[in-house]
Amino acid sequence: MKPACEEYNEQDDRQEHCWIIDIFPKRVSEEFNDCFSVVESWFLKEPQRSDIILKKLHFLLKLNCYMRFQGCTDMDGLSFADPDPEHLLELLTRHSLTITAERLRIRSDKDETCMVLFTGDAEVPELIRTLCITEGWYLWPA
């Protein structure tokens, strides 16, 4: 059996698209990179970092109610499937994760304010966008 991180849509030949799940409504232009860097650094300090992690947790828990997912951590390859809230919170706090489901893959870096969605399914972004709204996230194409 392959690790969860390697299973995503191996037999699916559709074009995969990349989306950003973010606290910002769209990409910040290069003109404002200096401001963005300061703001992003602020969001990655406590207690704001914990707030971002909770938003990621709530989003992923809700997503798990619509599709089963599995995943693994980047550093030690620790695998998980349909984790309970406490376990998922611990994983999000300590690790960068790759989460896979039948029609998508999500990357969550513990040191980022956003997550990255990969999907070839045209219906997935609609569900993701709806879940984003409930947690104050935005979804935009990369």
Side-chain angles (χ1 to χ4, degrees):
M1 179 176 234
K2 291 188 177 190
C5 295
E6 296 177 15
E7 289 185 0
Y8 174 71
N9 282 347
E10 286 187 340
Q11 294 141 353
D12 190 353
D13 60 359
R14 291 177 290 186
Q15 178 69 27
E16 186 176 73
H17 299 282
C18 181
W19 299 80
I20 306 298
I21 300 167
D22 204 351
I23 60 173
F24 294 94
K26 62 182 183 176
R27 184 177 306 280
V28 175
S29 71
E30 288 185 27
E31 172 186 2
F32 295 102
N33 273 350
D34 56 336
C35 296
F36 172 77
S37 294
V38 171
V39 171
E40 184 180 47
S41 293
W42 185 82
F43 276 111
L44 290 172
K45 292 179 187 172
E46 292 300 338
Q48 296 79 228
R49 180 180 181 273
S50 291
D51 292 342
I52 297 285
I53 289 171
L54 282 176
K55 288 172 67 135
K56 288 180 178 183
L57 172 69
H58 296 163
F59 170 85
L60 291 169
L61 290 173
K62 291 174 184 178
L63 177 63
N64 199 204
C65 291
Y66 293 95
M67 58 181 65
R68 296 201 176 277
F69 63 68
Q70 55 192 4
C72 64
T73 61
D74 281 359
M75 293 302 286
D76 55 13
L78 181 72
S79 295
F80 58 89
D82 299 326
D84 63 57
E86 291 81 14
H87 186 222
L88 186 54
L89 176 59
E90 181 181 338
L91 291 169
L92 287 165
T93 302
R94 295 183 180 183
H95 302 280
S96 295
L97 308 176
T98 298
I99 295 169
T100 59
E102 181 182 338
R103 302 178 302 170
L104 62 78
R105 179 171 37 111
I106 294 176
R107 291 276 306 128
S108 175
D109 187 316
K110 65 183 177 81
D111 298 319
E112 295 285 339
T113 59
C114 66
M115 296 182 285
V116 182
L117 166 70
F118 300 93
T119 185
D121 188 316
E123 294 177 14
V124 167
E126 182 179 333
L127 171 63
I128 298 301
R129 183 172 280 112
T130 301
L131 293 174
C132 283
I133 291 169
T134 68
E135 293 303 325
W137 291 98
Y138 298 94
L139 179 69
W140 44 272

